[in-house]
Amino acid sequence: MNVINFHQWYESRLYLALMHQSEPKRTWKYEPPQIEPDQLEYMAFLLEEAHELEKPVLVTYAGKHSPLQFYGQVIHVQPYEGWFIMANGQIKQRLRFRQLIEVDWF
């Protein structure tokens, strides 16, 4: 490899390195499906009823990168503040209503 070829190769590599460096890092975030206000109200009703009747529920909710599920009993509901707490043994999970995708009774 002579000096001219090396110089051309070096400039091309430098250009590629600079192009990749200037690109912003893209982070992928899960976008949950849009829930109608009536559906959200119904899911909040199901959670409140499950709390009163001490029934276990399976909640599907939006996580950071994918939908997640949690199975357990609802131990606290704050409908006006928009959150609730579920427990399964010693594991507790605090979720917001805006994260909800689906609520199923068992």
Side-chain angles (χ1 to χ4, degrees), residues 37-57:
D38 294 340
Q39 285 179 305
L40 190 60
E41 187 176 324
Y42 179 68
M43 287 191 281
F45 170 75
L46 286 176
L47 291 169
E48 290 175 15
E49 288 295 312
H51 173 64
E52 289 180 18
L53 299 174
E54 297 181 2
K55 286 190 136 203
V57 293

